[in-house]
Amino acid sequence: MVVARGGRRRARVLAVRGVAAALLTVVALAAGPARAQEPAPGAVLTYHGSALLDGGRVDVRLTPRNHGPSAVPDATVRLRWSVPLARRAQPLPVGCARTGERDVMCRTGALDADGWGRELALGVWLRGRPAEVTLDIDTVWAAGAVDRDRVDDRQRLLVLDTGDTYSF
């Protein structure tokens, strides 16, 4: 075999590349056939209810709704007030927890596709006696379901200390 100057080096590089390509092929075959990744299930979650501010206490009732197309095994809704919550301990419904100075998060439970969830009722005391408060309501977790239209994800409600019930 006659090898030109520098030819042995080139032959070794080609051999190493060939071995590497063969190893990659074996690893790919061992991993199994390529699977198309299924898209995440879709769900559009909204919340309907009311809020009442009276003397520094806000009472909120809300019912989650899943507009589908997929069911959601569980979700978490965040309620955030524009005024800090009172520093004292406040009893919250099962499945709810205070997660910040102005935030409470609650589990919705399972939501069927195009179905309503259970009503959630909670009352919290705010710091001081504000004449008004803004309540933001949004989904922070939906068990992997994806809302492809994020326009309706967040609701904002102005609640005045008039003793009146404000609906959303």
Side-chain angles (χ1 to χ4, degrees), residues 96-161:
C96 292
R98 186 172 174 169
T99 57
E101 184 180 58
R102 301 179 299 133
D103 300 355
V104 171
M105 291 192 196
C106 298
R107 294 179 60 192
T108 65
L111 299 168
D112 292 332
D114 199 25
W116 292 87
R118 63 177 170 76
E119 182 184 65
L120 172 68
L122 70 119
V124 295
W125 289 97
L126 302 174
R127 221 176 279 169
R129 271 183 86 130
E132 66 182 43
V133 65
T134 303
L135 172 61
D136 291 323
I137 303 165
D138 64 330
T139 303
V140 292
W141 179 74
V146 176
D147 186 347
R148 288 168 179 76
D149 181 11
R150 309 273 313 193
V151 173
D152 60 357
D153 278 7
R154 188 174 190 152
Q155 296 176 13
R156 177 170 278 174
L157 180 68
L158 176 64
V159 185
L160 305 176
D161 189 1

Side-chain angles (χ1 to χ4, degrees), residues 27-45:
V27 169
L29 290 175
R35 297 179 191 190
Q37 217 176 30
E38 293 182 27
V44 177
L45 304 183

Side-chain angles (χ1 to χ4, degrees), residues 24-92:
L24 288 174
T25 302
V26 169
V27 169
L29 290 175
R35 297 179 191 190
Q37 217 176 30
E38 293 182 27
V44 177
L45 304 183
T46 59
Y47 304 93
H48 306 274
S50 62
L52 167 83
L53 174 60
D54 189 15
R57 180 179 167 85
V58 182
D59 290 304
V60 178
R61 292 185 164 295
L62 67 88
T63 304
R65 179 162 188 209
N66 177 7
H67 296 272
S70 300
V72 175
D74 201 359
T76 303
V77 60
R78 175 179 43 210
L79 298 108
R80 175 176 284 164
W81 290 269
S82 58
V83 174
L85 300 173
R87 289 191 175 106
R88 65 180 172 214
Q90 301 192 47
L92 295 171

